[in-house]
Amino acid sequence: DASAKLWDCETGECIKTFVHHGPVRGAAWADGSNMFATISDPFVEHNAQISVYDVPENDDPSSYSDSPRLEIDLPKTSDGKRVNATNIVWLNLNEALFVTFDNGSIRLYDPATGEELDEFYPHEKKINRVSFNLDKTLFITSSADFTAKLYDVVDLKHLKTYKTDRPVNDAVISETKDHILLGGGQEAMSVTTTSGKVGKFETRFFHLVYEEEFGSVKGHFGPINALAINPNGRSYASGAEDGYIRLHYFDKSYLDMKDPVPEVLEEGEEDDDEMEDRESDSDSD
């Protein structure tokens, strides 16, 4: 309905409504809880926008301004195409606004002046979601181009790529293991004619460093749209197009699992498996 609403978490009361020009796609609180930012789609003659609102924590909500302190216009590209923002996040110490777009790009903006600080293209298609680790030193993007990519927040250096055979709608970083959880699946428009097995609606587990898939968890019969892992690393939640949110608890075998560390063998060395095979052959002889 082209609005952002401020709510009281304890009572569920709507404190204030902030009207926008177009549909609002995302909102994010700044560190300190004294301001928040929103992203909105283009509508009629209005371009897509990033809006920053001041909401001082100790002030009466009735004194909050209806208008944003800062509006960043997102005009059409040079080829005349409209670009829509898909996610917005404040970086540490509110140094910059981190915004992803449906053309596969990421931009950083100065939250004080609205100046564009940086732009790069990690993906060829829409970035569906971006997730950070708890201390915001790493982030992972999920894209319709069938990949998720891990980056360093400080220098925006690309670290790892996790490849799949389906659109990736969300990905999260485990806080307790070097693991990445990916969710997605076949496009929602085709789900009604597809079984869960064919649509590939499971949560997939990748090793953060080695980029290898080592497991999956089934359950949904629609594309997974959202994932969230418990900070203690003992459970995770998944929400899908099928209308269900599933809460998964990791079993003891996963929690106790130690990730194998590949070793580079020097010339003349044999790995343990080869030695065991040779010993079993000699025993059988």
Side-chain angles (χ1 to χ4, degrees):
D1 60 358
S3 71
K5 294 180 181 291
L6 184 64
W7 300 85
D8 186 313
C9 292
E10 293 183 352
T11 65
E13 175 190 1
C14 180
I15 299 173
K16 191 172 182 63
T17 298
F18 301 89
V19 179
H20 290 62
H21 296 304
V24 180
R25 293 295 174 190
W29 282 98
D31 289 348
S33 305
N34 287 316
M35 53 185 172
F36 70 90
T38 63
I39 48 175
S40 56
D41 286 351
F43 186 72
V44 193
E45 75 276 9
H46 297 286
N47 288 324
Q49 284 186 329
I50 301 170
S51 305
V52 179
Y53 292 86
D54 284 328
V55 285
E57 195 171 16
N58 297 323
D59 289 4
D60 187 337
S62 61
S63 67
Y64 295 161
S65 173
D66 293 327
S67 302
R69 169 177 58 80
L70 175 68
E71 283 187 326
I72 305 172
D73 214 35
L74 303 174
K76 296 179 181 179
T77 57
S78 56
D79 56 2
K81 294 182 179 179
R82 281 181 165 175
V83 179
N84 294 341
T86 55
N87 300 271
I88 184 167
V89 180
W90 293 79
L91 295 187
N92 282 333
L93 302 177
N94 302 331
E95 289 183 345
L97 286 167
F98 180 102
V99 186
T100 65
F101 292 88
D102 61 359
N103 65 347
S105 69
I106 293 177
R107 298 178 192 169
L108 270 61
Y109 292 92
D110 187 315
T113 65
E115 176 189 359
E116 183 179 317
L117 304 175
D118 201 352
E119 180 183 28
F120 61 105
Y121 285 78
H123 293 282
E124 299 175 357
K125 295 183 179 180
K126 177 183 178 181
I127 298 177
N128 293 316
R129 198 69 61 91
V130 62
S131 299
F132 289 72
N133 61 349
L134 282 181
D135 54 8
K136 288 188 177 179
T137 55
L138 297 172
F139 69 86
I140 186 168
T141 56
S142 311
S143 174
D145 66 4
F146 296 10
T147 66
K149 295 186 178 182
L150 186 71
Y151 280 80
D152 184 298
V153 173
V154 177
D155 56 12
L156 302 179
K157 180 182 178 182
H158 174 225
L159 302 176
K160 301 291 177 180
T161 298
Y162 310 96
K163 298 178 181 179
T164 71
D165 55 356
R166 71 208 74 173
V168 183
N169 294 337
D170 201 2
V172 291
I173 304 168
S174 172
E175 294 296 330
T176 57
K177 290 181 176 289
D178 289 333
H179 294 169
I180 301 291
L181 279 62
L182 267 64
Q186 183 191 38
E187 296 288 348
M189 61 185 294
S190 306
V191 169
T192 54
T193 58
T194 307
S195 70
K197 184 177 181 181
V198 176
K200 301 177 180 177
F201 307 136
E202 65 267 25
T203 302
R204 304 175 70 171
F205 287 70
F206 284 78
H207 194 283
L208 183 146
V209 177
Y210 309 130
E211 304 172 321
E212 297 174 349
E213 182 179 358
F214 64 87
S216 63
V217 175
K218 298 179 180 179
H220 288 289
F221 50 92
I224 293 175
N225 292 327
L227 288 171
I229 190 165
N230 193 322
N232 67 16
R234 295 182 175 274
S235 59
Y236 79 95
S238 58
E241 200 75 26
D242 57 13
Y244 289 93
I245 296 174
R246 298 176 68 93
L247 181 60
H248 308 258
Y249 287 93
F250 294 123
D251 57 23
K252 190 174 186 298
S253 62
Y254 173 83
L255 297 175
D256 294 341
M257 181 180 72
K258 297 189 182 301
D259 294 319
V261 179
E263 295 183 3
V264 179
L265 298 178
E266 296 182 3
E267 188 175 351
E269 285 187 335
E270 293 181 328
D271 63 22
D272 293 339
D273 292 337
E274 290 181 354
M275 292 181 65
E276 289 178 3
D277 291 341
R278 183 170 298 180
E279 289 174 358
S280 62
D281 290 342
S282 61
D283 291 342
S284 60
D285 292 341

